Amino acid sequence: MLAAFAFNTAENLPVGLLGRIAGGLDVPLWAVGLLVSCYGLTVAVVSVPLAHLTRAVPRRHLLTGVLAALVVSGLGAALAPAYLPLLAARFVTALAQALFWAVLGQVAVGLFAPRLRGRVLGVVSVAGSLALVVGVPAGTWIGRHGDWRLPFGLLAVLGLLALLPIAVLLPTTAPESAPASYASEPSARRFRVVLLAVALSATGGFAGFTYVVELLGTESGFAPSTVSLLLVCLGLACLAGVAVTGPFLDRFPWAALTTAVVVQSAGLLGLAAARHQVLVVCSLAVLGLALGPVFLAAQNAMLRYAPRRTDLALAANSGAYNAGIAAGAALGGLILARAGVRATFLAGALVSLAAGLTLLRAARPRHP
């Protein structure tokens, strides 16, 4: 849980420190923005290849190495004298995160009875969601009131605190014989449907979410201080959604994923259509309730339906999600320039709805 918190904080930390990093390293703002976009693209591209290359490495050793990479890259970012070393440190963190999400779910649920797997994933995901509510805001505050390098150094400390108990206490089991190495209900058809739905839902979600500050501030008229508060509320809604979804994953895995995607569509559509500030806030809360559960429920589906090894399936899920994030940000940017910010949320709602319809169609029994 601590490792999930650290990695999710690391992924999003530069967002709140773009100006400070740009000023400190004397580089343009767009160059610092690459620290975020290149990070997501790296995770999307390397997740499956890295999981395949490390498939024979015992999970305790692999997680220990991944967290060691987080410690080293965090220190590297904190001590980076220029932009390129910082970019290199972020690249190492992205490589570590790609492997982390490929094995985390498999290792965590493998420590418990199969009937508790969804609940275990939910608990771990709560810690990951806390990064948006606590980790990133705290890192942003520390970086803005002091040196922007300090939050990256603190990430190295968090990585070390997670590394030690994993290195000492986690059982050393051959990956092929680990309890959760293979799915409980393997289905190549459902696996493909979930991957497609994940990519579509991430594309739709981030086509709008990437530009949520523009919608709240310029379009809806909220003051900058209120926008910051609303983003915290969005994170709390995300946390609540993950906490509520977890207990249902074991009994209703397909319905949990479908519901999360459909609710995301409703939140995006509400933000596209709402003109009154109260309706905007309500729609933002609905969107927050769905953003976290989509990825959580998709991870659970990978552990249940993967046709082969679950670590490769989880890597594919992470890759599809991050590819969707990159595609959504690009789609939203194109629409924003031509039709305005509300149109980005409308497009996101339609793409997310397509993901929901894909899942609903696949849920129907197949007739001979």
Side-chain angles (χ1 to χ4, degrees):
M1 290 175 69
L2 181 59
F5 176 83
F7 269 112
N8 274 13
T9 301
E11 180 176 9
N12 297 285
L13 182 60
V15 173
L17 298 173
L18 292 181
R20 296 281 292 175
I21 296 173
L25 296 178
D26 195 24
V27 294
L29 201 62
W30 64 264
V32 185
L34 290 177
L35 296 176
V36 179
S37 56
C38 289
Y39 191 105
L41 184 61
T42 299
V43 174
V45 171
V46 306
S47 290
V48 173
L50 280 181
H52 182 74
L53 287 172
T54 58
R55 65 190 184 281
V57 180
R59 305 293 91 169
R60 178 167 72 91
H61 299 159
L62 187 59
L63 274 178
T64 300
V66 162
L67 287 165
L70 176 62
V71 173
V72 171
S73 61
L75 289 175
L79 300 174
Y83 175 74
L84 286 181
L86 178 59
L87 185 62
R90 290 287 295 172
F91 179 71
V92 173
T93 309
L95 293 177
Q97 178 159 330
L99 262 179
F100 176 75
W101 287 115
V103 300
L104 171 68
Q106 178 196 70
V107 172
V109 303
L111 298 172
F112 296 86
R115 61 185 176 82
L116 299 175
R117 287 181 175 180
R119 192 175 303 176
V120 172
L121 270 184
V123 171
V124 174
S125 296
V126 165
S129 299
L130 275 173
L132 298 177
V133 181
V134 178
V136 175
T140 300
W141 187 89
I142 293 170
R144 287 181 176 176
H145 290 80
D147 194 325
W148 64 264
R149 301 170 186 276
L150 182 56
F152 290 96
L154 292 175
L155 285 174
V157 175
L158 290 178
L160 183 61
L161 291 175
L163 182 155
L164 294 175
I166 285 176
V168 174
L169 300 175
L170 194 69
T172 304
T173 308
E176 296 83 1
S177 59
S181 291
Y182 295 93
S184 55
E185 303 172 28
S187 169
R189 172 176 169 266
R190 290 209 159 190
F191 169 73
R192 290 192 296 268
V193 170
V194 171
L195 274 188
L196 175 60
V198 163
L200 286 173
S201 63
T203 300
F206 284 85
F209 180 69
T210 305
Y211 307 98
V212 69
V213 173
E214 177 72 15
L215 177 76
L216 295 175
T218 305
E219 190 72 20
S220 300
F222 288 101
S225 58
T226 306
V227 170
S228 299
L229 179 61
L230 288 174
L231 292 179
V232 172
C233 292
L234 175 70
L236 289 172
C238 180
L239 181 62
V242 168
V244 169
T245 302
F248 292 97
L249 292 177
D250 294 304
R251 295 179 60 193
F252 310 106
W254 199 265
L257 177 58
T258 304
T259 300
V261 173
V262 172
V263 171
Q264 175 180 291
S265 306
L268 290 165
L269 186 61
L271 287 169
R275 302 293 173 178
H276 194 281
Q277 287 188 342
V278 173
L279 295 178
V280 171
V281 172
C282 292
S283 299
L284 189 68
V286 171
L287 178 62
L289 286 171
L291 280 177
V294 168
F295 185 71
L296 165 62
Q299 280 189 302
N300 183 63
M302 293 294 105
L303 289 168
R304 186 175 289 264
Y305 304 120
R308 303 171 81 176
R309 285 266 295 268
T310 54
D311 53 350
L312 297 178
L314 289 167
N317 180 61
S318 179
Y321 192 81
N322 279 276
I325 290 175
L331 174 64
L334 290 173
I335 295 173
L336 178 67
R338 290 164 175 77
V341 68
R342 290 188 183 276
T344 68
F345 284 85
L346 177 59
L350 294 176
V351 176
S352 296
L353 184 59
L357 293 175
T358 300
L359 291 167
L360 286 170
R361 184 174 181 273
R364 296 177 181 176
R366 302 186 73 177
H367 299 289

